[in-house]
Each structure stands twice: as structure tokens, then as C-alpha cells.
């Protein structure tokens, strides 16, 4: 069976679509073959549903996290992650609908026109870049939170906000620059003996005929795009837990209701970020291990059989942040409710004056609608 997925994660850019990943006949198969046969049939629908949820969810994250009262160093990083995830899921939604749902696996003439092959090139390059951005911003988030916890919140907020914003810009810029060789290798080629059918050509991670430059780029991708960020996010996650425990013990010695309330909020925020870090670990570590084994051994069968599952883990990681924010951040919930309140009450211009007389600047709706 042909897999048309380009694989959402970074390695998609090294795998040309159309490779056999599950057997043509799914009768009497066991192990990963049986699992791949089963999941291949349901993945497309699950991925579209998840993208339809994740795209508006990330839009909401961006809107809420960029409000004036919500602009903290961590929220600036989370906004960058939301932008990256939004771009990833929008591209994947278009890809899944056209290449996986609209056309069967054998209908290559409608699926791989020149225009859609160009889109596939764009999709491959975009998802490689955005997911690299997302994982490195996750590392930055854990580092910034660690610095905040270890300094007991004594850093100047304005300075930290500017640094976080600059850090987001740097991560975006360097991720794009790092993958310029990948963009340069990408091209659309016609398929021999199939008139009007085109496929993208990329760096072949499974190829034994790679040039020295291609081989170097593959290992740069594995080290800089996988190993280092995974290692750092685990290390700083562990350090953050240890530092939080020490900070909690130190704060508990102080008296006063205000101190206890601050400790509770501080702990809840850090716990939310630790859950986000855990989501990165769950989505990244398994596919990194399987991919490295494939590169080292030259056998990518297991990796390709798990490609759709890896896609799904990444899509889940890209879409669940709003649930975490709502569950663990009262400030986010209040701002979200205020946004809904403001939209519904002020959406009709005829009702604006009557509503304005009952909504003050200190109420949730009034505070948001007059916040700039």
C-alpha cells in the first residue's frame, strides 16, 4: 500500500511520498504490518478532525496571549509556538484533504499535478521548518522558566519581555536559515511514462547514493533538529522540577496569605509548562529513536510503518495547548471568557450604547474591550 503522507515531523523532508509503507495485501499480517494496515484507514479522518480543532484553537491562543495584560515572557514564547503550530496544521489539513481523502492511493493523475506537486514541496519545507521552530521554542520556554524560578521572580518584566520577543525572532530566523540546503534540493520532477504526473524530489535520507553535502545535512538535521533539543528539553525539565521543589520549600517558610496565593499561582504555572514539555518529549523521543536506528542501520521499514502514528502524535501536540491553558490557568480562562463576552455583547452596534452603560472598565468585558 502506498503512503502519501509526507510525514508531519521534520524527517518528512527526506522521504519522498509514494514509498511503500504498508503491504499491498493486509491479510494474515502481524506485528507492525497489522497495526499499519489498521491505522492507515482511520488516520486521515482523525488528522482532519484534529486539524479542524487545532487551527481555531491556536488562533484563540494567539489572540488571548497577545492581549496587553497577558504579555509575559513565557506567553510571548507560547505565542510563537502557537503561530508555528497554526501554520503546521493548516498546511497538513490541505495536504490530508487533497492527497489522502479526495483521491485514492492509485489515482496519481489527479493527485500529482504540477500545481499540487509544488504545494507538496511547500508543505514539506514548511512543516520541517515550523516543527523545528516549535521544539526549539519549547527548549527556550523551559530555560526562561528555569531562570525565573531560580531568580525568585526578581528579573525586570519589561526587559524579559523584550528578550523573549527577540528570542522568538531568532529561533524563527535560524530555523529558516538552517534548512536552506533542504529548500535548495527540493524540486518538482515529471514521472517517466506518466504524462502530467509530477513528484517532489528531496534529500533522500534512505538513499545510499547521497552526496557528501546531503549526508552532512542529514546528520546536521538529526543532531541540531532532534538530539540537541530533545536532550535540552529533558534536562531543563528535570532541573525545573528540582528548582521548583526548592523554591516551594523556601516560600513555605514565609508567612502571609499573599505569599501562599503567589506560591499556588507560581506552582500552577510551572506545572502547566512541565506538562507542555512532557508533550514534546512524548511526541519527539519515540520518533527520534526510530529514525536514528533507521539511519544507522539503513532499514527504515519500522519507521515508515509508524509514520502515520508519528504524524498523529505531532498533531495532538500541536493542538492540545488550549486545553492545558484552560485547565491550568485561571488568567487564561478569564481572558477567554472576557473575549467571548465582549464579542457577543458588542457585535451588534445597536446594542453598544446600552451595553456600555452596564459594563465598566473593571468588569471582565469592559477590561478586555478597552484593553489595547
Amino acid at each position: 500500500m502506498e503512503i502519501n503522507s509526507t510525514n508531519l515531523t521534520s524527517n518528512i523532508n527526506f522521504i519522498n511520498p509514494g514509498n511503500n509503507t504498508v503491504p499491498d495485501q493486509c491479510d494474515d499480517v502481524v506485528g507492525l504490518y497489522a497495526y499499519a494496515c489498521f491505522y492507515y484507514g482511520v488516520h486521515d479522518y482523525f488528522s482532519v478532525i484534529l486539524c479542524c480543532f487545532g487551527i481555531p484553537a491556536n488562533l484563540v491562543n494567539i489572540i488571548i496571549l497577545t492581549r496587553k495584560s497577558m504579555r509575559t515572557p513565557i506567553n510571548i514564547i507560547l505565542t510563537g509556538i502557537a503561530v508555528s503550530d497554526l501554520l503546521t496544521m493548516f498546511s497538513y489539513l490541505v495536504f490530508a484533504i487533497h492527497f489522502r481523502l479526495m483521491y485514492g492511493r492509485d489515482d496519481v493523475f489527479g493527485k500529482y499535478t504540477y500545481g499540487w506537486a509544488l504545494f507538496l514541496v511547500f508543505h514539506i519545507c514548511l512543516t520541517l521548518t515550523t516543527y523545528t521552530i516549535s521544539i526549539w521554542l519549547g527548549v527556550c520556554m523551559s530555560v526562561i522558566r528555569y531562570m525565573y524560578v531560580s531568580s525568585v521572580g526578581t528579573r525586570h518584566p519589561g526587559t524579559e519581555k523584550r528578550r523573549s520577543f527577540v528570542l522568538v525572532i531568532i529561533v524563527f530566523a535560524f530555523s529558516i536559515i538552517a534548512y536552506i540546503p533542504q529548500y535548495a534540493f527540493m524540486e518538482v520532477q515529471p514521472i517517466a511514462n506518466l504524462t502530467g504526473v509530477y513528484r517532489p524530489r528531496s534529500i533522500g535520507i534512505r538513499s545510499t547514493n547521497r552526496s557528501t553535502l546531503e549526508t552532512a545535512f542529514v546528520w546536521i538535521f538529526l543532531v541540531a533538529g532532534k538530539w540537541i533539543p530533545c536532550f535540552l528539553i529533558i534536562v531543563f525539565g528535570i532541573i525545573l522540577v528540582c528548582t521548583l521543589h526548592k523554591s516551594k520549600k523556601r516560600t513555605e517558610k514565609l508567612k502571609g496569605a499573599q505569599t501562599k496565593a503567589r506560591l499556588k499561582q507560581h506552582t500552577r504555572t510551572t506545572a502547566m509548562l512541565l506538562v507542555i514539555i512532557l508533550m514534546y518529549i512524548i511526541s519527539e523521543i519515540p520518533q527520534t529513536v526510530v529514525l536514528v536506528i533507521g539511519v544507522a542501520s539503513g532499514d527504515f521499514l519500522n519507521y515508515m510503518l509508524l509514520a502515520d502514528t508519528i504524524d498523529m502524535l505531532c498533531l495532538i501536540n500541536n493542538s492540545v495547548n488550549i486545553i492545558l491553558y484552560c485547565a491550568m490557568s485561571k488568567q487564561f480562562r478569564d481572558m477567554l471568557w472576557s473575549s467571548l463576552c465582549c464579542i457577543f455583547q458588542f457585535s451588534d452596534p445597536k446594542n453598544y450604547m446600552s451595553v456600555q452603560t452596564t459594563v465598566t472598565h473593571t468588569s471582565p468585558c469592559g477590561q478586555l474591550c478597552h484593553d489595547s
Side-chain angles (χ1 to χ4, degrees):
M1 183 181 293
E2 174 190 29
I3 188 167
N4 298 317
S5 172
T6 51
N7 194 294
L8 172 63
T9 53
S10 302
N11 51 289
I12 63 174
N13 306 270
F14 306 108
I15 300 172
N16 291 327
N19 292 307
N20 292 329
T21 58
V22 289
D24 293 325
Q25 301 297 327
C26 286
D27 299 330
D28 300 325
V29 292
V30 295
L32 283 180
Y33 277 95
Y35 171 77
C37 285
F38 165 76
Y39 188 67
Y40 184 85
V42 299
H43 169 79
D44 302 337
Y45 301 98
F46 286 165
S47 63
V48 169
I49 292 172
L50 203 54
C51 286
C52 289
F53 168 77
I55 290 172
N58 280 294
L59 280 172
V60 170
N61 289 342
I62 294 170
I63 292 172
I64 300 300
L65 294 174
T66 54
R67 300 302 302 181
K68 186 176 181 180
S69 59
M70 295 288 288
R71 293 173 197 163
T72 65
I74 287 294
N75 285 350
I76 290 173
I77 300 291
L78 294 177
T79 302
I81 293 176
V83 171
S84 175
D85 292 347
L86 175 66
L87 294 173
T88 303
M89 301 195 80
F90 184 79
S91 178
Y92 196 91
L93 177 63
V94 177
F95 162 80
I97 291 175
H98 177 80
F99 290 94
R100 300 292 293 260
L101 294 180
M102 289 185 62
Y103 295 93
R105 66 185 181 90
D106 298 322
D107 189 2
V108 296
F109 292 96
K111 187 186 303 183
Y112 293 107
T113 63
Y114 183 77
W116 280 107
L118 283 177
F119 168 78
L120 196 54
V121 169
F122 169 79
H123 169 69
I124 289 172
C125 294
L126 178 67
T127 49
L128 168 66
T129 306
T130 53
Y131 206 76
T132 301
I133 289 171
S134 184
I135 184 65
W136 273 106
L137 286 179
V139 174
C140 295
M141 178 188 68
S142 61
V143 173
I144 289 176
R145 189 61 185 177
Y146 162 72
M147 294 172 63
Y148 178 86
V149 172
S150 61
S151 65
V152 201
T154 58
R155 294 175 176 269
H156 190 276
T159 303
E160 293 304 305
K161 289 180 187 178
R162 289 191 293 272
R163 289 178 179 175
S164 293
F165 180 77
V166 171
L167 191 59
V168 170
I169 298 300
I170 291 174
V171 170
F172 270 78
F174 271 86
S175 297
I176 294 173
I177 293 172
Y179 291 115
I180 287 179
Q182 169 68 13
Y183 309 151
F185 276 107
M186 290 294 296
E187 62 179 341
V188 173
Q189 294 181 332
I191 302 299
N193 302 323
L194 290 176
T195 304
V197 177
Y198 298 84
R199 292 291 181 92
R201 177 187 177 276
S202 182
I203 296 176
I205 195 171
R206 299 186 299 168
S207 174
T208 58
N209 299 319
R210 290 191 303 263
S211 66
T212 303
L213 180 60
E214 288 179 305
T215 301
F217 181 71
V218 167
W219 284 104
I220 289 173
F221 156 71
L222 288 175
V223 174
K226 293 293 181 183
W227 294 352
I228 294 178
C230 287
F231 174 76
L232 290 178
I233 205 169
I234 292 174
V235 169
F236 277 99
I238 295 173
I239 294 176
L240 185 58
V241 171
C242 297
T243 306
L244 176 64
H245 182 68
K246 293 179 181 179
S247 177
K248 186 176 180 179
K249 280 189 173 182
R250 183 172 58 249
T251 308
E252 284 176 345
K253 295 179 181 179
L254 303 176
K255 297 181 179 180
Q258 185 177 3
T259 302
K260 292 182 178 180
R262 183 180 178 184
L263 174 62
K264 184 177 180 180
Q265 180 182 1
H266 175 67
T267 303
R268 186 168 56 244
T269 300
T270 305
M272 180 187 70
L273 299 182
L274 287 172
V275 173
I276 296 175
I277 291 173
L278 181 62
M279 289 297 299
Y280 276 110
I281 294 173
I282 292 174
S283 64
E284 278 291 322
I285 296 299
Q287 59 124 333
T288 300
V289 171
V290 178
L291 180 60
V292 170
I293 292 175
V295 172
S297 64
D299 182 6
F300 284 85
L301 177 60
N302 290 339
Y303 180 80
M304 296 303 294
L305 290 174
L306 293 172
D308 281 343
T309 303
I310 291 171
D311 281 1
M312 183 55 62
L313 287 175
C314 295
L315 288 172
I316 292 173
N317 185 43
N318 289 342
S319 60
V320 299
N321 282 350
I322 189 172
I323 299 176
L324 298 177
Y325 301 160
C326 290
M328 307 184 74
S329 174
K330 183 178 183 300
Q331 186 181 14
F332 186 90
R333 290 196 304 270
D334 291 342
M335 188 62 69
L336 178 59
W337 174 250
S338 298
S339 300
L340 296 174
C341 176
C342 190
I343 290 171
F344 284 109
Q345 287 192 357
F346 292 154
S347 59
D348 185 357
K350 295 180 181 179
N351 296 331
Y352 178 81
M353 293 305 297
S354 60
V355 174
Q356 191 179 34
T357 58
T358 59
V359 178
T360 66
H361 290 276
T362 57
S363 69
C365 290
Q367 181 180 6
L368 176 70
C369 293
H370 293 86
D371 187 15
S372 59

